[in-house]
Amino acid sequence: KMCNFISTTKGNAGGININSDSLFIDNGSFISTSTLGQGNAGNIDISVEKNLIITSASVIESSIAPGAIGNAGNITIEANSIS
């Protein structure tokens, strides 16, 4: 029943905004927006003053699930250094 509920829901997902001096994403961590029903995934906006470090299979993504109707969100990253 939960799958039926999710597949028939309508509406856009919320966005994610991160503002930081430095950001370290590690150990398979993820920042993600998605849509599972009908609607768009939220945007991801990341603004880092100094260093953004992403390691160990960590992910920043916006996606649409199979069968969903909508668009993935935009991902915007501003940082002095990305590694």
Side-chain angles (χ1 to χ4, degrees):
K1 295 227 177 204
M2 186 170 183
C3 289
N4 289 337
F5 175 74
I6 290 172
S7 65
T8 60
T9 59
K10 295 180 182 179
N12 296 328
I16 298 172
N17 296 302
I18 298 173
N19 295 297
S20 178
D21 187 48
S22 292
L23 181 60
F24 186 66
I25 306 169
D26 192 17
N27 293 326
S29 301
F30 61 92
I31 298 171
S32 176
T33 61
S34 63
T35 183
L36 303 173
Q38 184 175 346
N40 298 322
N43 295 327
I44 299 172
D45 296 305
I46 299 173
S47 179
V48 180
E49 279 285 321
K50 296 179 183 173
N51 303 315
L52 170 58
I53 301 170
I54 306 169
T55 64
S56 303
S58 296
V59 175
I60 300 171
E61 69 176 2
S62 182
S63 62
I64 49 175
I69 300 170
N71 297 304
N74 296 314
I75 298 173
T76 305
I77 299 173
E78 295 179 7
N80 187 44
S81 173
I82 301 173
S83 59

